[in-house]
Amino acid sequence: MTTAVGIGCRRGVEAAEILDLLAQAWSRLGWSVAPAGLTLNTLARKVKEPGLVQAAATLGLPLLGLEEDALRTVTTPSPSAAPGHGLPPVAEAAALAACGAPQNPNAHLILARIQGPGSTCAVACSEGILP
């Protein structure tokens, strides 16, 4: 089973904000630590964003970039916060795509999008209910 976090963020977001948002996600999911194999996923053009890079390094988690076309194929429960960009909500779409959506019909959100001042995150798994 794959478990993945999707992260959307504005340019210049601080690592502290992302870490706080992820701590909220862990708490809501009842995790004391991240499950083995967990990845952080975002738009390919955001993988060098310093706040994301620092947050991933702090947590010891890989930060993976997904192309916009891959996210456009994913159906998300939340509406886009930036419909003019032609993308679904990045956090939800990235988490689901990292778990194989839309090809994997079992991929689903286990935590819908939560939002900080300049970032969002969502968590998905590839099968089952919780990791």
Side-chain angles (χ1 to χ4, degrees):
M1 173 170 41
T2 300
T3 307
V5 174
I7 299 178
C9 70
R10 292 185 182 132
R11 185 180 315 240
V13 69
E14 297 288 330
E17 178 183 329
I18 294 168
L19 290 167
D20 180 59
L21 197 60
L22 293 172
Q24 290 176 48
W26 278 212
S27 177
R28 291 181 188 196
L29 290 166
W31 296 348
S32 56
V33 296
L38 186 72
T39 59
L40 302 182
N41 303 270
T42 192
L43 285 169
R45 62 183 161 90
K46 294 279 187 170
V47 295
K48 295 189 190 249
E49 186 66 39
L52 282 173
V53 171
Q54 185 179 353
T58 298
L59 295 171
L61 297 173
L63 177 62
L64 308 175
L66 300 164
E67 296 300 327
E68 290 182 12
D69 287 346
L71 300 189
R72 283 189 185 98
T73 65
V74 178
T75 302
T76 61
S78 300
S80 176
H85 292 275
L87 291 172
V90 170
E92 290 178 346
L96 288 165
C99 289
Q103 294 82 6
N104 176 4
N106 296 318
H108 64 282
L109 293 174
I110 57 174
L111 179 66
R113 181 177 68 187
I114 59 174
Q115 190 162 339
S119 60
T120 58
C121 81
V123 184
C125 70
S126 61
E127 58 187 72
I129 296 173
L130 284 175

